[in-house]
Structures are given as structure tokens and as C-alpha cells.
Amino acid sequence: MRRSLAGVALAVTSMVALSFLIPLAALVMSLVKEQGVTAAEQRAAALAPVLTLTKDPAALRESAASLDASEHLVVHLPGSGALGSSKAPAALLERAQRGRESISQEVPGGWICLQPVVLPGDEVAVIENFVPEAELTRGVKESWAVMFFLAVGLIAGSVLVADRLGAKVVRSSKRLAQASHALGRGDLDTRVDPMGPRELRDAGVAFNAMAHRMNELLAVERELVADLSHRLRTPLTALHLASERMAGTAESARVEAAVDELEAELEAIIAAARTPLAVGPMGQGMLGTEQPAGRSPSRSVASGASDPRCEAADVVRRRTAFWTVLAAQQNRSCSLDLTQEPTAVGLSDDDVAAVVDALIGNVFRHTAAGTPLGVRVVRTAQAVELVVEDGGPGIPEPDRALSRGSSTGSTGLGLDIAQRAASATGGTMRITRGPLGGAQITVTFALAPPSPSGHRSRISRRRGRKGSGPAGRAIV
């Protein structure tokens, strides 16, 4: 915008300057020429009275020299030669003598003025005054140079003023854009100082009002989520009592572990809902990160660290061990193949665990009991691949399955969690058909950069609880 305003000012001022300069330059040249010709005619007319008094060549030369020091004033006496160096063509001279006509016209090299004078005895003398070309253009170039520099100064001044005005507008626009980007990245406290033109000041005021209203709405939403989650404590208490009555049975330990896991999840949800919104890896709003159409970034459930990272293979091992118990009850074969190489990714334990639970949970929900299940973690040069496959019917429309609520009998949230986790690290997710005959979902996480000395991945308290049960993660 700043460059455009300067360009407009340059174009407009240049056009105005040219529209004045061209006629003015022509006028200056015409005036200088007219002044030179008029002065020549006046000198010739001033010498005429001298001719009426005397024909003495010496006296005439002296008078001519006093009127024109450049010796361009010449007297043509009848019956004798010219008193000086004549520049007049013979035809013009004869015309002035015979016709007794005053002649003033352009000749090669300058301008000639012929003034006839009638002497006693009806004789005609001719006074010639030649004006060289240099005299007709004296001072024109200097005048043009002054006008040119004035025009350049005018154009430069207008461009400078337009640039200053544009800089003020651009500065206001940039600050508003920077504040918008900061708000998009999750900095809900960002505000702008309204400045610049009235329209931009109004936009700044509207932005501040919008940010304030967003904070209010998010605060209400967090309290609502916390209150709703808190209301689940009552049925949890009933489940605790029921599990105590089941003490001594084979199912009591598993039910108790599941209840404990669910209670830990509720506590984490309540704590996360009542803390200020933080943008974690799975909810990043970074500029330049392409989000899927129709998706809005959301924050990570448990990504409170400024630099979250974990060993993906360790998290997959723990969560697969949890699901293996349920797979055994449904007569599912569950294979696990983990790489022995480091698998550090830029996600927290809970984020990776959410991906594993979502993908394996989908297998349990959408395939029949007894369907085989396989989990692999593969390390490549720049990434870590998590592969979950099954022997079910597969996913006929992979692209549609990635949209929330578009699949029959499914919200699509599980695959969305996996896709957002992959995107948060710069990775991808693809759905194909695997060797077991069913769906094969490959989630690629980019490797995390080397961590500072002494840095240790945060171990989730919830994931570390002994005896985690199926209620720990919702199966979607």
C-alpha cells in the first residue's frame, strides 16, 4: 500500500508538472525571441534620425557603435556600400529599398531587421540590424533548468508526503495484522492501540471488542465444561461402591482400575477447562500451517509444556498392553512390532496416547469380535510411523472418513485426532488396505529436534496409573 500511494503521487504530480512545464517552456522561448527582435527594431529606429541629419560614414559608424556594440547594426547608403558587415540577403535589401518596406524575418543564423529611411532628394537608405541565434535563445536553457529542478522538487516532495501518509496507514494495518495473528496463535490477551485513519481506528476498536468478547465466551465455556464434568462424579461414586461390592471377583480389579482411570480423566478435564486457553502442539495455530478445510485448531488435552516431547514407541507399548487385555477377552489376536531406534516426537505422552487409543478403539468398535489387530512403530530417516491395521471390512471412503460426522455410525473424531496430531509435527496420515485384509492407517510423526541436555519427556500421571482400564479413553 505504501508503495502504491507513492506511485500514485509520482504519476499524478508528474502529469501536472508536465502539463505546466511544456507550455511554460515554449512561452519562455517565445518571449526571449520576441524581446531580441524588438530590441533590434528599436536600435534600427533609433539610428534613423541620425541619417536625416548627416551622411558622414564616420559619424554613422560612431552612432551605430554606440547603439550596438556587437557591430551588427549596418547602414546601407544609396550609391555607396554598406557601413559594416551585412548579413541581409540581396533580395531582401532590394525589396526594402524599392518598396520602402520595413522587413523583420528569420534568416539562416538568426533574425534580420531592415528599416528603410527616406533621405532628402527622395533617396532611400536602409538600416540593417542582425540578431544572431544565440541572442534569440539567451537565458532559455537556464530558465528551463530552473523549471526542471522546481518540477523535480515538487514531485519529490509530493512522493515524500504520500510515503509518510502511506507509512502511517501501513503501520496501523501491520499492527492490526500482527495482533490478529497473535490472537490466532492463542494469545488471547493481545490488543491493539487504535491509530491511523478513522476507518483503521474503528477496525482496531472492533478488534479489541472482539478479543474481549472471545475471552468472555471462552471463560463461560470452560466453566460449563468443568461443571458438566463435575456432575459425572456422582455416577463415579456409585461405580466405586459397586466395585467394592464386587470385591473378590475376577472382574473387580479391572472395573476398579477403569473407574480410577475415568476419575483421573475427569479431574484432568476439569483442571484443563478451568485454566486459561493454551495452544499446544495438537491445537497449534501457527502461521503457515495448513489446516484442513472446515477445521479449526483446538488445543491439546494435556499439552501444558512449552516444549512437549515423548518417545512414541514407549507410549504405544503402554497403550497396546492396555488394549491387549480387552482383545484377549474378544478372542482377537493383537500383534505389536516396535522399532528399537529412538522415536522422539514433538508431542506429549497424552497426545500420542490419544492417537493410539483413537485408532485401536476404532478397530474394536467397527469390527467384529475375533478380528485380528496389528500395531507397528517404524522409524525412518526423518519420521516415526505408527501403523494400526485390522482384518475387518476396511474403510471404503477414506477421504470421507476424515470428516467429522460424515461417516455413518461414527463421529469421525478419532481419525481427526490422529490427523491433527500428525499435522502438528509436520507429518501426515493416510488410509489404505493392509496385509490383514482390512483398513491400515499410517500416521507419520516428524522426528523432534534434539532436546537440550538434561531434558526429559514428561510422563503423564494418568498414563502411569497402574491398572488402566478401557474407560480411560472414549472409543470413537
Side-chain angles (χ1 to χ4, degrees):
M1 179 183 293
R2 182 175 176 182
R3 185 177 299 176
S4 298
L5 289 176
V8 170
L10 175 63
V12 172
T13 312
S14 299
M15 292 171 59
V16 172
L18 287 176
S19 64
F20 280 95
L21 280 179
I22 294 175
L24 187 59
L27 179 61
V28 167
M29 188 170 186
S30 176
L31 287 176
V32 170
K33 184 176 181 180
E34 183 178 352
Q35 289 175 357
V37 172
T38 302
E41 292 174 348
Q42 290 175 350
R43 288 193 294 269
L47 188 59
V50 178
L51 274 173
T52 60
L53 298 176
T54 180
K55 293 182 181 180
D56 183 25
L60 292 175
R61 284 193 180 94
E62 183 178 355
S63 298
S66 64
L67 292 174
D68 187 2
S70 58
E71 298 182 353
H72 291 146
L73 193 60
V74 179
V75 178
H76 298 271
L77 295 173
S80 62
L83 300 179
S85 178
S86 177
K87 303 287 186 181
L92 286 180
L93 187 59
E94 184 178 359
R95 174 182 163 188
Q97 288 177 339
R98 290 179 179 276
R100 300 180 181 183
E101 175 186 357
S102 296
I103 299 175
S104 179
Q105 72 176 44
E106 187 176 6
V107 295
W111 194 274
I112 195 74
C113 294
L114 299 177
Q115 179 67 43
V117 179
V118 179
L119 302 176
D122 200 27
E123 293 180 324
V124 178
V126 179
I127 301 174
E128 171 192 339
N129 197 358
F130 176 74
V131 184
E133 185 71 29
E135 293 291 333
L136 296 176
T137 59
R138 179 179 296 174
V140 172
K141 292 183 178 179
E142 290 76 4
S143 301
W144 285 359
V146 171
M147 289 187 291
F148 173 77
F149 285 115
L150 286 176
V152 170
L154 177 63
I155 294 173
S158 65
V159 171
L160 180 61
V161 171
D163 180 72
R164 291 298 88 200
L165 293 176
K168 188 175 181 180
V169 174
V170 170
R171 191 181 306 113
S172 302
S173 303
K174 283 185 176 180
R175 290 185 179 180
L176 185 59
Q178 291 171 356
S180 300
H181 293 321
L183 184 65
R185 289 192 296 267
D187 184 6
L188 299 182
D189 294 328
T190 186
R191 297 292 186 274
V192 297
D193 183 17
M195 59 179 295
R198 182 174 60 85
E199 292 78 4
L200 286 177
R201 291 199 302 270
D202 293 344
V205 172
F207 175 85
N208 291 339
M210 177 192 67
H212 180 71
R213 182 58 178 165
M214 284 180 59
N215 278 334
E216 291 180 346
L217 294 176
L218 288 172
V220 172
E221 183 181 359
R222 288 196 297 268
E223 287 301 322
L224 178 61
V225 172
D227 292 343
L228 292 176
S229 302
H230 192 272
R231 290 168 60 183
L232 294 177
R233 289 177 179 247
T234 299
L236 274 178
T237 301
L239 287 176
H240 270 298
L241 295 176
S243 65
E244 290 178 358
R245 287 195 297 270
M246 294 172 59
T249 64
E251 294 291 324
S252 62
R254 190 173 65 85
V255 172
E256 182 65 26
V259 172
D260 289 342
E261 181 73 11
L262 182 57
E263 185 175 9
E265 293 285 351
L266 282 176
E267 291 176 357
I269 292 174
I270 294 173
R274 285 181 171 167
T275 56
L277 185 65
V279 179
M282 287 183 66
Q284 61 184 357
M286 294 185 297
L287 296 176
T289 302
E290 182 178 351
Q291 298 292 341
R295 305 283 178 83
S296 59
S298 60
R299 67 182 170 85
S300 173
V301 174
S303 298
S306 60
D307 182 23
R309 62 172 58 226
C310 70
E311 283 291 329
D314 293 342
V315 178
V316 172
R317 179 185 295 106
R318 292 197 303 270
R319 297 312 302 161
T320 304
F322 159 74
W323 288 101
T324 300
V325 177
L326 186 58
Q329 294 177 356
Q330 295 186 359
N331 296 320
R332 296 176 183 267
S333 62
C334 182
S335 62
L336 176 63
D337 184 11
L338 302 177
T339 180
Q340 299 301 313
E341 299 182 71
T343 56
V345 297
L347 296 172
S348 67
D349 290 20
D350 285 339
D351 291 335
V352 177
V355 174
V356 177
D357 289 345
L359 297 181
I360 298 181
N362 275 340
V363 176
F364 278 82
R365 160 160 284 198
H366 299 293
T367 62
T371 302
L373 165 68
V375 180
R376 300 198 312 273
V377 175
V378 181
R379 162 70 184 271
T380 64
Q382 301 293 333
V384 176
E385 292 184 352
L386 168 62
V387 182
V388 177
E389 56 184 352
D390 60 70
I395 301 177
E397 298 179 286
D399 294 336
R400 186 181 176 188
L402 295 176
S403 302
R404 293 191 182 192
S406 61
S407 300
T408 305
S410 173
T411 63
L413 181 60
L415 295 179
D416 181 77
I417 291 174
Q419 187 178 45
R420 285 188 293 115
S423 299
T425 65
T428 59
M429 186 182 79
R430 62 182 184 274
I431 302 176
T432 57
R433 186 169 292 275
L436 296 180
Q440 176 177 282
I441 301 176
T442 303
V443 182
T444 303
F445 304 107
L447 285 172
S451 61
S453 178
H455 178 82
R456 297 181 60 186
S457 299
R458 182 173 62 88
I459 305 299
S460 170
R461 179 181 63 82
R462 291 178 285 148
R463 295 299 167 193
R465 293 180 64 91
K466 182 178 180 181
S468 297
R473 289 281 176 183
I475 301 175
V476 292

